[in-house]
Amino acid sequence: MSTPLWNQYLRIKRRYPHAILFFHLGDFYETFNEDAKIVSAVCDVVLTSREIGKGQRVPLAGVPVRAYETYAAKLLQAGYTVALCQQLEDPATAKGLVERDVVRVLTPGTLVEPGLLDAKSANYLAALVLEGARAGLAYVEVSTGEFAATELPEDAPGPALRRRADPEAVWRDLLPELQRLGPAEVLVPATDPRAPEALQPYQPLVGQFHLTPYDAWHFHPDTAREALRQQYRVQTLAAFGLDDRPLAARAAGAILQYLQETQSAALKTLAPPRSYSTRQYMLLDPTTRRNLELAQSTRGGTVKGSLLWVLDRTRTAPGGRLLRRWLNQPLCDLAPLQARLDAVEHLLNDHALRSRLGQHLSRLPDLERLITRIAQGLAGPRDLISLREGLQTVAALRALLADQPAAEERVSGAAGRCSPVWTLLARLDPCPEVSAEIERALVADPPATLANGGVIRPGYATDLDALVESIREAREWVAGLERRERERTGLKGIRVGYNKVFGYYLEVSHPALRARLTPEILAQNPRLPDGRVPETVAEYLEGCCGYLRKQTLVGAERYVTPDLKEKEALINGAQEKIVALETRLFQDLCARVAAARERILATAAALAELDVYVSLAEVAERHRYVRPVLTAGERIRIVGGRHPVVELTLSEGGFVPNDCDLANSGPQIIILTGPNMSGKSTYLRQVALIVLLAQIGSFVPAEAAEIGLVDRIFTRVGAQDDIATGQSTFMVEMAETAYILHHATPRSLVIFDEIGRGTATYDGLAVARAVIEYVHDHPRLGCKTLFATHYHELTELERVLPRVRNYRVEVLEEGDQVVFLHRVVPGAADRSYGVHVARLAGLPGSVVQRAAELLRELERGKGGRRRRAGEETGERHTGGPALPFLADGLLPLIEELAGLDPNQLTPLQALIKLHELVERARQVRADARP
Ligand code: ADP
Ligand code: MG
């Protein structure tokens, strides 16, 4: 490696100190020094060394250019970014040092390479800016051009806690939104991006997202606005809805600048930013998303076992992405949901149409990403072919509508209400002129790259045709040369050959050259320039036939002639000219195709929607779902509901369907009791999932369902320690419960699965009861609530709180066996099942017996202690006011606990706080137990 080359490397590397620099050298991307060590470790390639002049060696690791994506993917996965430094001229023709520069920085959020992207999910780059208790958030999908921005929290009359300028509160709105997007990369402002503490303010995101600290000045209001104005050539940002969302504008502007640096081609295809409000959608916090296993199962974290796994029968990548988006953003408006349901119903009933749609859809390429790649100048010849084939499929789909004269009429509004399926088909634009242009320009089966020509169809461009013709003639001339030279010279032994170093040559063996001339040649009376008659063949060829010696071999001599040299120059030059010309023609073609980008994107969007409807209709048919009746009312009534995922894990007919009836005016709160493993959690989730399915526009697993639309679903499930944040179980539980109590509205659906489990029995019971009372009585709440619990004491609430109902999961005792019927029926469960289950689990008989004894004793003891003086009832469940320990002091205590941030306390402060809390808790307990 020469010193100039090494200096070039160092010069470029200096500009990208934080990226792994892939330095293009021949067939490899080479990396050096620290980069090489990282590449070797992460990509499992050999670490060697290379001399850089004067006996100095540096570590080196290289990856083949052809397969670089695989290695880049691994590096991105490991949290690195990769700068691709390419040769900007052909090394074969370059004079001196080949010019090189970084053409692209690969970061997780800016990928467009199909090999690096997951076809079925969006790949978002987000930017975040925080100011006080507010946040600006923007995101782009570089491979599709989607660009959106919002500001959080949204101003709306909320509970007091929200209106207080609580800097922590912003995360409560931000985290769910980020979780919904699942960005591959999040830009955050940092005054010194290199400093180790740059990420300190974004602690809640660390570990969850790939954070890229980005110089804070990029987020400055002026810089950001300027970036937006320049990109879209506008004076004000009002059109984007960003004028009154300054933080959103700042985040959006920062994204533009980042793209400029890493992936400037992406800017060409970026849509204008769309400001949006998270209120259009049902809000789902991260905990609920996780608990309901929407796109990931809790066990294993894979799609398998999640709701998406059941729903996703989409055939196209954009369809898959759209379904995911719908699942993450259920709607709260009746009209669009009815339209979605109409489409699903239509396709469920019209079998023939559905299967034809399905067939065509499965042949479609990812039009959205394809056209974006073409517009960004990143497409190869085969991408255009695949676009053309895609558009032909679109034409076939559009023709389905033409087959239905009645439908065509309805689309045009001539008759009655029209199925959304027809409207979508009518929106498909096969862009025939684009197809035709591609067809005209490209050969049917072009090579993957432009490097060797052969891409443009003959007849498309006259200058190209002329070139091709001249090269064809020259080639033909060369092909006929051997025959002609043998005839001309009368020498049968002349052979025409080609090698890379010397090009074309005429080869004659030494014996043949030494031979005397034949009578036939002599008869032509050949003369050398000095007038002599040549004596040998060699003399004849060199002196009379214009043969020029080029290379001497052991057994032969190689010659060229002036004519051959001329044709060779023509062939070589023409090849280069052809490639250059084809490249230009191809780029022009791409530019013309890109002009149809908006139309193709709109078509792709309609196709994605059709794909989702076909998928939902198939799922509805296969698993016997029904159309839910959606209302703006307060009632949720489900007949014969099933859990969409659990039912698939059981054998056919194994799942026991259950009803559910909830309404704000009552029954508002269902308290569900039953032994472990009887199906409480399944029931709770199934109700939530059915509501959610209805609100994405899907049919639901039930015999019948009436769903009064809800604005949010909240869940607080189980008692697992949140190891990630290092908080104790009880703390997490109370924080999540507090979150629900603060954010739920009367239109919400709330699910509590065994809260209070993470603490001592009485504390847990007390908190659980207080929570139910609060939900029941607080004027801002009154939301529909499902409450599964192992505290049988809570079933007493049915008597005191008018809108509370007890339900239990039915169990059958056969002798000393317990059979789970999984059937949810009115009434409270018998408390002694724990002991039965112990028997079921195979504990020794004596242990089970002793447990039963103890239970009786405990119950007697507890009854006695809990009974108030003068109250002489023998009943096990004492009613109403018999639970005095829920003193007024409890809720403030919970609030206080939930508001604490252990990370912000020194150990000493924590200890003092703990003492104080314990003191207050004891006071509350003392008040509660006279
Ligand atoms: P719990 O929360 O009461 O402990 P789960 O809801 O976790 O119980 O259910 C335990 C198991 O019982 C589930 O994994 C499932 O296999 C089965 N199950 C639950 N509900 C039903 C049902 N309705 N029909 C059939 N099996 C069910
Ligand atoms: Mg459970």
Side-chain angles (χ1 to χ4, degrees):
M1 190 163 186
S2 67
T3 311
L5 185 59
W6 182 243
N7 285 340
Q8 184 187 41
Y9 170 81
L10 290 178
R11 213 164 42 240
I12 297 170
K13 174 66 194 175
R14 217 166 292 136
R15 282 167 33 221
Y16 296 91
H18 298 284
I20 308 276
L21 187 70
F22 273 28
F23 194 67
H24 191 179
L25 272 177
D27 293 336
F28 279 84
Y29 279 122
E30 306 285 23
T31 60
F32 301 99
N33 291 333
E34 278 314 301
D35 287 359
K37 292 180 189 163
I38 294 169
V39 169
S40 161
V42 174
C43 303
D44 201 18
V45 298
V46 185
L47 183 68
T48 58
S49 68
R50 180 155 179 166
E51 186 160 341
I52 51 159
K54 294 197 206 105
Q56 200 193 341
R57 301 191 78 84
V58 291
L60 161 97
V63 305
V65 169
R66 279 175 188 287
Y68 87 90
E69 284 189 357
T70 328
Y71 298 98
K74 283 190 186 155
L75 289 164
L76 290 172
Q77 196 87 52
Y80 296 99
T81 58
V82 175
L84 287 185
C85 174
Q86 281 176 4
Q87 294 170 172
L88 300 182
E89 39 185 2
D90 186 348
T93 57
K95 290 172 195 70
L97 192 59
V98 175
E99 201 187 329
R100 292 185 174 78
D101 206 353
V102 171
V103 292
R104 165 109 172 76
V105 181
L106 299 167
T107 76
T110 56
L111 299 178
V112 283
E113 293 74 5
L116 293 175
L117 286 172
D118 174 9
K120 283 219 165 180
S121 42
N123 194 66
Y124 288 121
L125 165 69
L128 177 66
V129 56
L130 295 176
E131 196 171 270
R134 302 191 61 75
L137 175 69
Y139 64 84
V140 292
E141 222 293 26
V142 176
S143 70
T144 61
E146 182 185 357
F147 191 7
T150 190
E151 203 163 306
L152 297 163
E154 312 233 10
D155 290 311
L161 191 104
R162 264 185 119 189
R163 260 180 275 127
R164 242 190 288 143
D166 170 7
E168 289 301 308
V170 67
W171 294 109
R172 298 203 192 108
D173 293 276
L174 200 49
L175 274 173
E177 185 53 11
L178 277 171
Q179 209 90 20
R180 171 184 79 76
L181 290 169
E185 181 177 5
V186 183
L187 304 177
V188 292
T191 26
D192 178 5
R194 327 266 177 269
E197 63 276 6
L199 294 178
Q200 190 53 38
Y202 311 102
Q203 215 49 44
L205 305 179
V206 172
Q208 286 197 65
F209 301 102
H210 178 110
L211 299 180
T212 302
Y214 191 43
D215 263 316
W217 58 264
H218 293 294
F219 293 82
H220 188 276
D222 298 339
T223 335
R225 271 167 186 275
E226 194 44 40
L228 283 160
R229 284 202 203 107
Q230 279 197 359
Q231 165 78 9
Y232 299 104
R233 300 201 173 82
V234 290
Q235 274 308 306
T236 103
L237 305 183
F240 309 141
L242 291 178
D243 246 4
D244 50 354
R245 289 186 168 92
L247 289 172
R250 286 168 61 186
I255 282 201
L256 284 180
Q257 296 166 67
Y258 188 70
L259 287 180
Q260 185 74 57
E261 288 168 25
T262 56
Q263 171 60 303
S264 53
L267 293 176
K268 280 191 261 173
T269 54
L270 216 53
R274 166 181 65 86
S275 74
Y276 69 102
S277 154
T278 49
R279 292 195 182 273
Q280 294 162 263
Y281 308 110
M282 181 201 281
L283 281 174
L284 291 168
D285 54 276
T287 319
T288 299
R289 245 175 252 285
R290 205 168 43 237
N291 287 336
L292 294 179
E293 305 182 277
L294 297 188
Q296 261 184 10
S297 72
T298 318
R299 253 168 287 161
T302 53
V303 172
K304 188 166 195 305
S306 70
L307 183 62
L308 186 63
W309 170 67
V310 179
L311 289 190
D312 188 4
R313 306 182 66 81
T314 55
R315 289 162 169 81
T316 69
R321 297 198 290 269
L322 184 66
L323 179 61
R324 243 173 223 269
R325 187 147 85 217
W326 282 9
L327 198 57
N328 276 326
Q329 295 187 320
L331 302 180
C332 307
D333 284 337
L334 273 178
L337 285 172
Q338 298 291 16
R340 288 185 189 179
L341 288 169
D342 286 345
V344 176
E345 182 167 356
H346 177 180
L347 291 174
L348 181 68
N349 296 334
D350 192 340
H351 249 281
L353 177 64
R354 168 152 51 98
S355 85
R356 287 165 76 188
L357 278 175
Q359 279 162 17
H360 289 308
L361 284 169
S362 52
R363 291 212 310 271
L364 277 177
D366 189 339
L367 284 176
E368 210 175 25
R369 285 185 175 168
L370 200 51
I371 187 63
T372 305
R373 229 167 32 243
I374 292 170
Q376 289 171 352
L378 297 169
R382 289 182 186 164
D383 285 325
L384 284 192
I385 296 294
S386 131
L387 176 70
R388 192 201 70 212
E389 286 166 359
L391 290 174
Q392 280 159 355
T393 305
V394 172
L397 278 160
R398 182 66 179 68
L400 292 179
L401 182 60
D403 287 351
Q404 315 263 344
E408 190 114 58
E409 250 171 57
R410 267 177 289 167
V411 172
S412 59
R417 201 161 66 105
C418 169
S419 156
V421 176
W422 299 134
T423 329
L424 284 172
L425 283 174
R427 256 169 49 197
L428 298 183
D429 180 351
C431 300
E433 75 294 347
V434 173
S435 283
E437 173 87 16
I438 297 174
E439 173 100 50
R440 221 158 53 71
L442 299 190
V443 299
D445 189 11
T449 70
L450 293 158
N452 300 310
V455 170
I456 305 289
R457 196 185 277 277
Y460 181 66
T462 42
D463 44 354
L464 179 64
D465 288 349
L467 255 180
V468 171
E469 180 55 23
S470 71
I471 193 174
R472 195 189 55 77
E473 276 169 6
R475 283 219 172 93
E476 243 167 45
W477 185 89
V478 172
L481 182 63
E482 196 169 273
R483 184 182 44 75
R484 284 197 312 275
E485 285 304 297
R486 284 178 182 177
E487 268 171 22
R488 174 159 84 105
T489 62
L491 292 166
K492 299 281 166 274
I494 293 183
R495 207 172 59 76
V496 172
Y498 176 83
N499 80 29
K500 271 199 180 138
V501 182
F502 292 99
Y504 290 106
Y505 55 78
L506 290 153
E507 190 177 293
V508 189
S509 73
H510 283 142
L513 286 171
R514 279 193 297 267
R516 303 248 150 223
L517 293 181
T518 58
E520 286 89 345
I521 297 178
L522 284 173
Q524 291 167 18
N525 194 20
R527 285 286 182 272
L528 293 173
D530 58 8
R532 277 192 307 121
V533 175
E535 288 184 18
T536 60
V537 168
E539 264 188 353
Y540 168 66
L541 290 177
E542 288 166 30
C544 308
C545 305
Y547 276 45
L548 304 166
R549 274 185 201 228
K550 195 169 191 185
Q551 190 189 7
T552 307
L553 304 179
V554 182
E557 204 66 51
R558 285 179 176 172
Y559 293 99
V560 289
T561 66
D563 282 353
L564 180 55
K565 262 163 88 177
E566 189 189 307
K567 299 294 179 195
E568 179 175 351
L570 190 68
I571 291 173
N572 288 342
Q575 184 60 28
E576 258 167 51
K577 278 189 211 147
I578 286 177
V579 170
L581 197 51
E582 287 208 347
T583 305
R584 214 197 63 223
L585 289 166
F586 183 78
Q587 283 164 351
D588 290 351
L589 175 66
C590 284
R592 274 200 302 283
V593 170
R597 183 165 164 273
E598 295 298 323
R599 285 156 67 201
I600 293 176
L601 282 180
T603 297
L607 289 168
E609 214 173 319
L610 279 170
D611 192 14
V612 171
Y613 292 140
V614 171
S615 174
L616 290 178
E618 267 176 26
V619 172
E621 181 178 75
R622 171 179 273 245
H623 304 307
R624 290 166 292 107
Y625 288 7
V626 298
R627 177 173 181 149
V629 176
L630 304 184
T631 76
E634 53 153 47
R635 188 143 189 227
I636 293 177
R637 209 168 62 85
I638 297 166
V639 180
R642 293 152 4 235
H643 189 297
V645 180
V646 174
E647 75 164 334
L648 299 188
T649 65
L650 302 175
S651 56
E652 180 78 27
F655 193 91
V656 180
N658 278 304
D659 302 344
C660 175
D661 197 354
L662 282 168
N664 294 50
S665 52
Q668 177 213 337
I669 299 175
I670 287 180
I671 295 178
L672 181 64
T673 43
N676 261 337
M677 292 302 287
S678 58
K680 299 185 297 297
S681 301
T682 306
Y683 178 76
L684 261 51
R685 285 184 171 90
Q686 121 189 358
V687 173
L689 288 174
I690 287 174
V691 170
L692 189 117
L693 280 170
Q695 292 193 228
I696 66 168
S698 168
F699 281 28
V700 299
E703 274 162 44
E706 173 191 332
I707 311 288
L709 298 184
V710 310
D711 63 351
R712 294 188 69 157
I713 297 178
F714 292 92
T715 59
R716 165 59 228 168
V717 169
Q720 302 131 334
D721 267 56
D722 200 333
I723 296 162
T725 59
Q727 299 184 66
S728 81
T729 301
F730 189 56
M731 190 68 181
V732 173
E733 233 185 47
M734 288 306 104
E736 285 184 16
T737 304
Y739 171 74
I740 296 176
L741 297 183
H742 283 303
H743 288 81
T745 78
R747 299 214 58 91
S748 304
L749 173 65
V750 180
I751 277 169
F752 288 111
D753 194 350
E754 312 216 26
I755 62 165
R757 219 183 181 181
T759 187
T761 311
Y762 277 101
D763 298 4
L765 176 53
V767 173
R769 171 157 178 167
V771 166
I772 295 179
E773 288 180 344
Y774 190 82
V775 170
H776 187 272
D777 294 334
H778 196 289
R780 191 181 43 78
L781 288 167
C783 45
K784 295 176 274 286
T785 306
L786 294 167
F787 201 105
T789 183
H790 54 288
Y791 294 122
H792 293 265
E793 290 83 348
L794 291 177
T795 56
E796 297 163 15
L797 285 170
E798 190 181 45
R799 298 200 211 160
V800 248
L801 303 175
R803 295 186 305 280
V804 167
R805 297 284 181 284
N806 287 332
Y807 279 82
R808 63 190 164 92
V809 192
E810 212 178 6
V811 228
L812 196 68
E813 279 182 80
E814 285 175 345
D816 50 5
Q817 297 295 315
V818 177
V819 180
F820 292 149
L821 296 180
H822 302 302
R823 192 180 301 136
V824 175
V825 295
D830 190 327
R831 58 168 53 245
S832 61
Y833 281 114
V835 178
H836 287 288
V837 175
R839 180 182 300 129
L840 197 70
L843 280 183
S846 59
V847 174
V848 175
Q849 223 160 25
R850 175 71 185 130
E853 256 171 57
L854 282 172
L855 178 68
R856 273 191 296 278
E857 255 171 53
L858 279 173
E859 280 171 6
R860 263 199 305 279
K862 195 163 69 185
R865 199 177 60 192
R866 290 213 348 242
R867 215 168 301 134
R868 277 186 181 177
E871 223 181 16
E872 280 304 326
T873 146
E875 274 180 33
R876 193 157 55 197
H877 304 291
T878 48
L883 291 173
F885 49 81
L886 293 174
D888 296 335
L890 191 61
L891 262 184
L893 194 57
I894 296 175
E895 279 211 18
E896 165 115 37
L897 264 172
L900 281 180
D901 179 357
N903 292 326
Q904 300 292 319
L905 298 177
T906 65
L908 184 60
Q909 284 172 329
L911 200 58
I912 294 169
K913 195 80 198 168
L914 183 64
H915 272 288
E916 184 196 317
L917 288 170
V918 168
E919 207 43 54
R920 281 175 53 193
R922 288 192 177 139
Q923 192 54 48
V924 171
R925 187 175 61 184
D927 292 348
R929 289 196 196 140

